[in-house]
Amino acid sequence: MICDLNVIYPVTDFTTRITEKDLTKLKCGLSTLEQLGYTHVALNFRYSPQLVKKIPNNVNELNPIDVTQLQEFKERLKIFTRITVIANDTSQFQHIAKFQQVFDLVTIEPTNEKVLQTAISNLDLDLISMDMANRLPCYMKHKTVCSAVEKGIYFEFKYNDLINSSTRSMTISNIKQLIRASRSRGMVCSSGLDIDHLHFVRSYHDVVNLLCVIGLDNARASQLFKDWSSKVLLNGRLRVKSFKQTVVISGDDGLIDNRLETSVSAESKPGVSNTKMDASGYTHEKRKLDLLEREKAKLEAKKQKL
Amino acid sequence: MDRKNAIERLLLTRCSKYQNDHGEILELLESRYSLTGSQKNYLVLQSTDGGLTKQEIENKVHKKKKKQKTKMISIIHSISESSAGNADAHPHPNSTNKYHPLKTRNEFKQFIKSNLKYQDTVIKKLKKLQKKKTELLKTTEDLADLKLCSKVLKFEDFIQINELWNKYISELIGTSNNIQTITNKLSSCEFIGALLTVTHSQCVDNIGMSGIVIWESQFNYVIVVPRENNWKTNIESLQLPQSYSLSERIGGMRLIAKKNTRFEFSIPVGDSNDENVMDFELIGDRMTVRSVDRANKKFKSHAVRDIEL
């Protein structure tokens, strides 16, 4: 499995819906990603509290990403939803618990050091996204970065900043700093694909080569797309599907699958307060070859013989 | 008037013995709280060992131990044995010895250990038999019919526990439809009696094993496995003639570590007609708690690097 955890969904507000034009572009982007071999894709909704003041109270309306419009990718790609909160103040963290119920992944993009540190120590996040195109908000300390990785919060950088020639030099130095601080552990690389810059998308092999130049070894660089990305997805999905990672609801294939969930939201039941938490989609008929039934039948056959 | 001991005097006047004799009451009360009187103001504690000396008690325990070793191994038998023993032969059930042979938990532990050992010896004996009489093992359909395997636990005996557990779990969950509330309840429920199937494990032999839980310890589940059953039986399209190893053919008890293991179980949903089920998976690494402590434990999310996909 090769993951791309950052495909930007062209919506800036909770209430606005995606336009037809943007949707076709997004579909183009997704199909190129599929052609390049990606299997798991997360659609990213970027939310900056300074621009968008109003948050809907109803939990169901909180997720602007409509996966049902992308039904044609159902068998080809596993699509997840993600929110990135661009935070410059710790007071903006109050809605994060709400977001955790509706999105598969919850991410923070800190713009100063204080936010970064409180996010690592207090919040239950999946990813911390760093804006590599500009100067980093602070010097990346080994201690803070490693404490995050130890907790299971990974760091993300986008490779489209590397490809864009205007931001390349800044990005290289920033990524080198992150690699140094994290001791090349616990990072995730994603495309950061924008619908206006679809030509920036690359195969993951190319990006791995590029990262080898910067200073990651080959095995680690490919882990950015495979192992560590899937661990991030697992962390996010377990928050939805399980109670504190003890008992997980299953019935679909694997711990990170969300196939059964999307089928529920398509029906959009009126009585359910939160479609992501609805368990009714997971019910299925009893298997034909049930162990207990078989054993009982054996017992009866034996009794009849006697 | 003397206000001292007013309540006691009142009570004593109600007694038929002192009904008309106020002088005696006064006398009694005067001597009540004095050191010199007949009634003392302190408690006298006497030893309550029932008239037996320490040596005698120890001797009895020793004899009991010897007896225990020779007893037949069977749960029902041993439990009834211990309860009977508690009643008459042994007057001190709350003996300070933690490893007292009569303590039920220790006895159960011992039973599990000895039965696992017993299963190993049975398999060894069967292997010897296989060399001597190759036809015998091939022709017998059910190895439990052999006299040799008569003491191995049988899956059929535990089906009723599973039915009880199913009732318990459907009562526990009720009609709630939220994943978080259901999984929250399941994380603190009892698992003895559940039908667990190992889906992922570091130990490859354990994968696909399914049975009814009879005991949960901090690091292990003890399950009872049916005879002639492994993961291959669940595959319909498998055309090969199914072959079972000797240990699979006798079934019995299995000790499965929780570490690096995921278990699956399904619970009935909906009203009365149990056609529909919902599947749940148990992550063993996060459940390494004794079932007693698990009821009140506050679980926390951790880094997921130890959970395999």
Side-chain angles (χ1 to χ4, degrees):
Chain A
M1 55 188 286
I2 298 153
C3 312
D4 184 358
L5 298 186
N6 195 349
V7 174
I8 290 165
Y9 197 72
V11 157
T12 51
D13 202 339
F14 283 103
T15 47
T16 52
R17 288 286 169 264
I18 190 169
T19 57
E20 281 292 313
K21 208 176 163 189
D22 288 344
L23 190 66
T24 46
K25 274 185 184 172
L26 186 70
K27 279 178 182 172
C28 281
L30 286 178
S31 49
T32 26
L33 280 175
E34 190 211 347
Q35 288 267 310
L36 292 172
Y38 292 92
T39 53
H40 294 62
V41 169
L43 296 175
N44 183 14
F45 167 59
R46 282 167 70 82
Y47 158 65
S48 56
Q50 290 126 308
L51 300 177
V52 184
K53 289 276 190 275
K54 210 180 166 193
I55 291 178
N57 281 324
N58 190 348
V59 186
N60 263 341
E61 292 166 11
L62 214 56
N63 196 342
I65 301 169
D66 192 1
V67 191
T68 48
Q69 284 175 325
L70 304 166
Q71 281 292 339
E72 58 197 271
F73 292 99
K74 205 176 173 186
E75 301 300 319
R76 294 142 71 190
L77 284 173
K78 291 216 168 14
I79 296 174
F80 301 93
T81 55
R82 157 182 160 170
I83 187 166
T84 309
V85 182
I86 302 160
N88 59 0
D89 188 29
T90 48
S91 65
Q92 287 151 357
F93 290 167
Q94 55 178 321
H95 296 295
I96 284 197
K98 242 188 200 176
F99 294 146
Q100 280 171 348
Q101 299 174 6
V102 213
F103 291 92
D104 290 320
L105 299 174
V106 178
T107 320
I108 265 196
E109 194 175 310
T111 49
N112 57 50
E113 191 173 8
K114 200 186 161 200
V115 173
L116 177 70
Q117 249 158 12
T118 46
I120 288 169
S121 57
N122 294 338
L123 290 178
D124 184 19
L125 293 170
D126 305 305
L127 265 179
I128 292 178
S129 176
M130 303 301 285
D131 185 16
M132 294 292 181
N134 301 312
R135 255 184 99 81
L136 283 180
C138 57
Y139 177 77
M140 301 293 278
K141 280 184 205 150
H142 169 61
K143 205 178 158 190
T144 46
V145 173
C146 265
S147 71
V149 174
E150 197 71 13
K151 254 184 95 177
I153 305 173
Y154 288 0
F155 282 82
E156 183 209 32
F157 59 87
K158 290 170 278 186
Y159 69 73
N160 74 344
D161 296 333
L162 272 175
I163 290 157
N164 194 347
S165 58
S166 60
T167 56
R168 191 176 296 149
S169 59
M170 200 65 196
T171 314
I172 288 174
S173 75
N174 283 341
I175 289 176
K176 283 200 104 160
Q177 221 192 104
L178 185 63
I179 290 169
R180 173 197 52 76
S182 66
R183 308 289 192 265
S184 38
R185 260 179 278 133
M187 287 178 295
V188 167
C189 184
S190 58
S191 68
L193 186 66
D194 200 343
I195 49 161
D196 299 326
H197 304 281
L198 285 179
H199 55 281
F200 282 159
V201 74
R202 291 289 183 277
S203 162
Y204 97 100
H205 294 287
D206 297 345
V207 186
V208 167
N209 267 335
L210 198 63
L211 289 172
C212 285
V213 176
I214 292 174
L216 267 179
D217 56 288
N218 208 339
R220 287 247 169 82
S222 60
Q223 269 195 325
L224 293 183
F225 289 91
K226 290 172 179 170
D227 269 25
W228 289 331
S229 295
S230 62
K231 285 278 137 89
V232 170
L233 272 178
L234 180 64
N235 194 16
R237 286 298 300 163
L238 278 183
R239 201 188 311 109
V240 177
K241 281 175 82 172
S242 73
F243 174 72
K244 308 283 179 197
Q245 304 170 348
T246 49
V247 179
V248 195
I249 195 162
S250 72
D252 41 8
D253 23 304
L255 290 178
I256 63 173
D257 196 15
N258 64 352
R259 180 167 48 88
L260 293 171
E261 200 171 85
T262 45
S263 67
V264 174
S265 61
E267 291 162 23
S268 68
K269 288 182 187 172
V272 182
S273 65
N274 184 3
T275 48
K276 220 172 189 61
M277 295 289 173
D278 185 20
S280 59
Y282 290 89
T283 54
H284 60 84
E285 276 186 21
K286 231 179 202 176
R287 282 192 202 87
K288 274 180 189 171
L289 281 168
D290 196 32
L291 177 77
L292 278 170
E293 303 285 324
R294 198 166 55 219
E295 286 301 316
K296 277 177 194 168
K298 263 191 201 173
L299 247 183
E300 270 183 22
K302 214 175 180 185
K303 269 181 192 171
Q304 277 183 356
K305 260 189 189 176
L306 286 172
Chain B
M1 184 160 170
D2 191 16
R3 288 197 170 226
K4 258 187 182 176
N5 308 326
I7 297 170
E8 273 128 315
R9 192 186 303 125
L10 203 79
L11 283 171
L12 283 173
T13 49
R14 297 284 167 87
C15 287
S16 56
K17 195 178 169 190
Y18 310 110
Q19 216 161 25
N20 301 316
D21 206 351
H22 280 273
E24 207 173 331
I25 292 171
L26 280 176
E27 219 171 276
L28 252 176
L29 287 176
E30 242 169 57
S31 68
R32 175 83 177 90
Y33 294 115
S34 69
L35 277 173
T36 50
S38 59
Q39 284 175 307
K40 295 282 178 273
N41 58 349
Y42 51 81
L43 272 171
V44 180
L45 298 178
Q46 286 183 328
S47 69
T48 53
D49 57 6
L52 288 174
T53 59
K54 238 182 192 178
Q55 230 172 13
E56 276 174 322
I57 296 168
E58 273 169 11
N59 275 342
K60 269 203 169 174
V61 172
H62 218 69
K63 271 182 195 169
K64 204 79 197 170
K65 261 185 190 168
K66 272 183 188 169
K67 264 187 195 173
Q68 212 75 36
K69 275 179 191 171
T70 54
K71 287 263 154 70
M72 255 222 334
I73 312 159
S74 135
I75 311 180
I76 302 152
H77 187 81
S78 57
I79 285 171
S80 66
E81 191 43 56
S82 71
S83 62
N86 265 338
D88 49 62
H90 201 74
H92 301 283
N94 49 353
S95 162
T96 48
N97 186 5
K98 194 187 166 190
Y99 300 104
H100 199 281
L102 294 185
K103 294 233 166 173
T104 327
R105 188 167 152 265
N106 283 316
E107 186 153 323
F108 198 68
K109 257 186 189 172
Q110 234 176 27
F111 165 72
I112 288 167
K113 264 187 197 170
S114 59
N115 205 20
L116 283 171
K117 222 180 211 175
Y118 171 73
Q119 268 171 217
D120 283 348
T121 52
V122 165
I123 289 168
K124 269 180 198 168
K125 278 176 189 170
L126 282 175
K127 269 180 189 166
K128 273 183 191 170
L129 249 180
Q130 218 170 15
K131 279 176 190 168
K132 278 183 188 169
K133 306 173 188 174
T134 36
E135 285 305 302
L136 181 71
L137 285 187
K138 273 180 190 171
T139 48
T140 44
E141 268 182 35
D142 198 348
L143 280 185
D145 293 339
L146 292 178
K147 213 175 184 183
L148 190 64
C149 312
S150 56
K151 285 176 205 164
V152 176
L153 292 186
K154 283 172 191 160
F155 183 81
E156 298 95 89
D157 300 340
F158 293 90
I159 287 177
Q160 284 207 323
I161 297 181
N162 183 249
E163 279 167 6
L164 274 178
W165 186 81
N166 275 341
K167 266 183 210 163
Y168 154 70
I169 213 77
S170 52
E171 231 168 73
L172 182 82
I173 281 162
T175 54
S176 61
N177 220 353
N178 191 319
I179 293 178
Q180 286 293 312
T181 48
I182 293 175
T183 47
N184 188 356
K185 277 175 186 167
L186 284 176
S187 70
S188 57
C189 80
E190 179 66 66
F191 277 106
I192 292 177
L195 183 80
L196 292 190
T197 311
V198 180
T199 51
H200 292 251
S201 178
Q202 208 176 35
C203 176
V204 186
D205 286 353
N206 282 351
I207 296 173
M209 212 179 263
S210 57
I212 292 171
V213 181
I214 57 169
W215 183 250
E216 182 188 354
S217 69
Q218 189 178 1
F219 297 110
N220 299 300
Y221 278 112
V222 181
I223 64 174
V224 174
V225 174
R227 274 157 278 138
E228 307 207 345
N229 182 70
N230 58 15
W231 58 272
K232 288 175 210 151
T233 9
N234 287 332
I235 302 170
E236 266 177 281
S237 58
L238 204 67
Q239 294 295 319
L240 299 165
Q242 283 164 3
S243 64
Y244 300 103
S245 69
L246 274 176
S247 66
E248 274 164 0
R249 284 184 72 181
I250 64 166
M253 202 156 66
R254 296 291 134 87
L255 193 73
I256 291 178
K258 287 181 186 174
K259 208 177 179 195
N260 295 320
T261 309
R262 292 215 307 267
F263 304 91
E264 196 183 44
F265 60 96
S266 54
I267 54 171
V269 212
D271 327 307
S272 61
N273 53 333
D274 12 75
E275 288 300 300
N276 289 334
V277 288
M278 205 184 277
D279 285 359
F280 288 91
E281 225 166 318
L282 239 164
I283 296 177
D285 300 71
R286 301 296 144 92
M287 299 282 266
T288 48
V289 199
R290 283 192 309 151
S291 54
V292 185
D293 305 329
R294 190 154 50 80
N296 297 320
K297 187 171 161 66
K298 235 187 140 188
F299 287 104
K300 271 182 187 168
S301 304
H302 295 285
V304 290
R305 70 175 73 84
D306 55 337
I307 300 174
E308 294 273 319
L309 270 180

